[in-house]
Amino acid sequence: MPLPDDYLVYPKRRLGPDHERYDASPVRDRAPLVLPDGAKVALWVNVLLEFFPLNPSGKPFKAPGAMQTPYPDLRHYTTRDYGNRVGVYRILKVLDRLGIPATFWAQGAVAERYPTLIRDIQAAGHEIGAHGWDTDTIHHTAMDEGAERKAIADTLATLKDVTGTAPQGWLSPARAEGFATPDRLKEGGVEWFADWAHDELPTAFRTTAGDLTAMPLSDMLDDWQILVTYRRPEEEWVAQVADSADWLVDEADRFGGRVLSLTLRPHISGQAYRIRPLADSLEQALARPGVRAMTGGAILDAWRK
């Protein structure tokens, strides 16, 4: 049976991405990012504070790290919980020793269960961003509109109750979105988000409620990606972070400031045997000339200037 003539006709085909969220442009043609104090590369450390329900629905998919064995999967549940009770404090100690301000992405369910943890992070001078309600509340296009709006509002309100301030930044659980999620985030009061892994510069992002800023959070140096999915040894991770810093410093000399993002999970990077490699990777990146640690909000401020 032959295909219809319109089978290969795609009306949204255009130069660059097939959507209107932002204009297509090579990263080399963007306005240069001017970082404070002559810095060339912003080292952006992101720490995820996630809650994994013991009985996830798994719809529309299971988030990375979700329960794996038949109910009750107490082995994986307690390992994830270990991250929010033990591992995260090891990471905080490393960040404090190296003088690194980081962005901690907290889920509403974590703030509800561990308000002291959120306040400890805030007292240490780190930035708190919103990371959705929990890992089983996955945003996707088939998600009920009211349910998505409620998840956004509940997350922002719970974090505000704990910290005194509603977060301006958002990272969706499992970094999953529906087509309308950016519009609903902006309507809810979010100013920037980090779900899209594109470029190494912030990007102006159109929504029906006004512009958001898409922050460049790569998943290529994500601890889950490197250490769990790819099963690479910790020393390779250290080398990859250092190599990325070298390359971005070189590019910054020609094109302006760049962002080197690193994503950590306390139940992964906060394990006792991984804390030293984590510290090594951060120290090596900071040893490169012109590399400065910044939060997402500080990078956004520099970009807006």
Side-chain angles (χ1 to χ4, degrees), residues 185-232:
L185 290 175
K186 180 66 179 180
E187 292 169 11
V190 171
E191 292 296 322
W192 57 278
F193 74 124
D195 291 337
W196 291 37
H198 66 298
D199 303 344
E200 276 128 3
L201 292 173
T203 301
F205 193 96
R206 302 184 188 98
T207 79
T208 56
D211 282 355
L212 276 175
T213 301
M215 295 295 287
L217 180 58
S218 169
D219 60 357
M220 291 293 101
L221 290 176
D222 186 312
D223 59 1
W224 182 271
Q225 185 89 305
I226 300 293
L227 302 175
V228 178
T229 303
Y230 296 163
R231 299 184 180 182
R232 306 312 303 163

Side-chain angles (χ1 to χ4, degrees), residues 47-52 77-92 104-107 109-111 113-118 120-121 135 264-268 270-271:
V47 185
L48 309 189
L49 303 176
E50 303 169 294
F51 177 73
F52 292 90
Y77 181 87
T78 51
T79 300
R80 292 358 173 204
D81 193 52
Y82 170 95
N84 289 333
R85 293 182 295 101
V86 181
V88 66
Y89 285 98
R90 293 180 180 144
I91 293 174
L92 280 167
F104 282 74
W105 295 103
Q107 295 191 327
V110 173
R113 287 167 171 77
Y114 303 100
T116 301
L117 168 61
I118 304 300
D120 287 345
I121 292 167
T135 57
L264 313 174
R265 291 167 179 76
H267 70 273
I268 302 295
Q271 295 290 337

Side-chain angles (χ1 to χ4, degrees), residues 56-62 135-140:
S57 68
K59 296 179 179 178
F61 61 89
K62 280 190 174 182
T135 57
D136 198 40
T137 307
I138 302 291
H139 296 250
H140 59 290

